[in-house]
């Protein structure tokens, strides 16, 4: 599997995957992503900002994009008005527009996306990863909880077409992975 930044050539494939996710949400009777968002403009904007990523894998000997995610380091107004409390108050990255091709569902792809997302944060010295979802989006809630995201409260969206829509918010505090030199320093001064 290859996790990489999205390119303009990926827009149509990302939109296909987003449409699959919209259909799944509709089947669950959720109004999330049912009002024309995300759309081509939002995906193209993500790519221009450098916050859109795709996960591709080999299928029949060819690389194929099977999942998409946006990772935004921008401070977001709804996140500053949480009905609840965040775990941290410093820099953070927000997960947006995460979707997996329905043909590869239940193969751990969403989990891999979240793991890669954590790596992106750590490479940029950001130790907080946040996300929000519809309160009845059980699959997304399960994935976040499985990845040790903690429920923090409720936010209300401030963008069209979902102004005022209620979303439940989660955060995960990331730990810098120790490298051998860090371990060596830790034990350097200890007497044995």
């Amino acid at each position: 599997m290859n996790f990489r930044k999205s390119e303009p050539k990926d827009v149509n494939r990302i939109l296909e995957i987003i449409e699959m996710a919209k259909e799944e949400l509709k089947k669950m009777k959720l109004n999330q992503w049912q009002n024309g968002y995300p759309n081509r403009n939002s995906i193209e904007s993500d790519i221009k900002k450098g916050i859109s990523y795709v996960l591709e894998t080999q299928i029949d000997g060819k690389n194929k994009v099977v999942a998409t995610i946006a990772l935004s380091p921008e401070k977001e107004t709804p996140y500053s008005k949480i009905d609840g409390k965040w775990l941290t108050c410093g820099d953070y990255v927000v997960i947006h527009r995460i979707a997996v091709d329905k043909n590869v569902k239940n193969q751990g792809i969403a989990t891999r996306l979240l793991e890669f997302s954590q790596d992106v944060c750590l490479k940029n010295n950001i130790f907080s990863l946040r996300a929000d979802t519809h309160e009845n989006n059980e699959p997304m809630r399960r994935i976040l909880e499985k990845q040790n995201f903690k429920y923090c409260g409720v936010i209300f969206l401030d963008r069209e077409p979902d102004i005022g829509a209620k979303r439940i918010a989660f955060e995960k505090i990331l730990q810098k992975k120790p490298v051998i030199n860090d371990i060596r320093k830790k034990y350097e001064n200890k007497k044995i």
Side-chain angles (χ1 to χ4, degrees), residues 9-26:
K9 68 177 183 171
D10 299 313
V11 171
N12 288 338
R13 178 63 181 144
I14 291 170
L15 287 170
E16 285 176 21
I17 294 169
I18 294 284
E19 286 305 315
M20 290 177 197
K22 287 180 180 183
E23 283 301 313
E24 292 298 313
L25 292 168
K26 188 176 185 177

Side-chain angles (χ1 to χ4, degrees), residues 35-82:
N35 299 316
Y37 170 91
N39 55 31
R40 180 173 294 277
N41 289 341
S42 53
I43 302 305
E44 288 174 347
S45 175
D46 288 347
I47 292 171
K48 284 179 188 164
K49 290 178 186 175
I51 64 169
S52 177
Y53 295 82
V54 292
L55 184 63
E56 59 186 5
T57 190
Q58 286 248 326
I59 297 177
D60 298 326
K62 294 181 181 178
N63 283 342
K64 183 171 183 178
V65 171
V66 294
T68 182
I69 192 170
L71 299 172
S72 176
E74 297 174 10
K75 299 287 184 205
E76 300 194 15
T77 304
Y79 280 62
S80 68
K81 300 175 183 175
I82 189 169

Side-chain angles (χ1 to χ4, degrees), residues 8-141:
K9 68 177 183 171
D10 299 313
V11 171
N12 288 338
R13 178 63 181 144
I14 291 170
L15 287 170
E16 285 176 21
I17 294 169
I18 294 284
E19 286 305 315
M20 290 177 197
K22 287 180 180 183
E23 283 301 313
E24 292 298 313
L25 292 168
K26 188 176 185 177
K27 286 178 190 173
M28 292 189 294
K29 299 189 183 337
L30 299 181
N31 63 358
Q32 188 174 6
W33 289 9
Q34 299 302 304
N35 299 316
Y37 170 91
N39 55 31
R40 180 173 294 277
N41 289 341
S42 53
I43 302 305
E44 288 174 347
S45 175
D46 288 347
I47 292 171
K48 284 179 188 164
K49 290 178 186 175
I51 64 169
S52 177
Y53 295 82
V54 292
L55 184 63
E56 59 186 5
T57 190
Q58 286 248 326
I59 297 177
D60 298 326
K62 294 181 181 178
N63 283 342
K64 183 171 183 178
V65 171
V66 294
T68 182
I69 192 170
L71 299 172
S72 176
E74 297 174 10
K75 299 287 184 205
E76 300 194 15
T77 304
Y79 280 62
S80 68
K81 300 175 183 175
I82 189 169
D83 182 6
K85 187 171 183 193
W86 294 110
L87 303 175
T88 64
C89 57
D91 290 337
Y92 59 87
V93 167
V94 179
I95 295 169
H96 287 302
R97 296 173 283 289
I98 182 171
V100 176
D101 183 320
K102 68 179 181 181
N103 298 307
V104 294
K105 286 268 190 191
N106 303 314
Q107 294 182 24
I109 304 291
T111 298
R112 295 293 297 270
L113 277 177
L114 293 177
E115 289 168 352
F116 286 124
S117 300
Q118 293 172 56
D119 290 343
V120 168
C121 290
L122 292 172
K123 284 177 186 170
N124 289 287
N125 290 315
I126 296 174
F127 301 96
S128 170
L129 190 55
R130 296 180 179 178
D132 65 84
T133 191
H134 191 284
E135 62 188 326
N136 295 322
N137 187 339
E138 291 299 328
M140 186 63 183
R141 289 178 72 161

Side-chain angles (χ1 to χ4, degrees), residues 86 129-131 133 141 144-145 149-151 168-171:
W86 294 110
L129 190 55
R130 296 180 179 178
T133 191
R141 289 178 72 161
L144 291 171
E145 289 164 2
F149 280 74
K150 304 296 180 210
Y151 171 81
I168 55 173
F170 296 83
E171 182 175 15

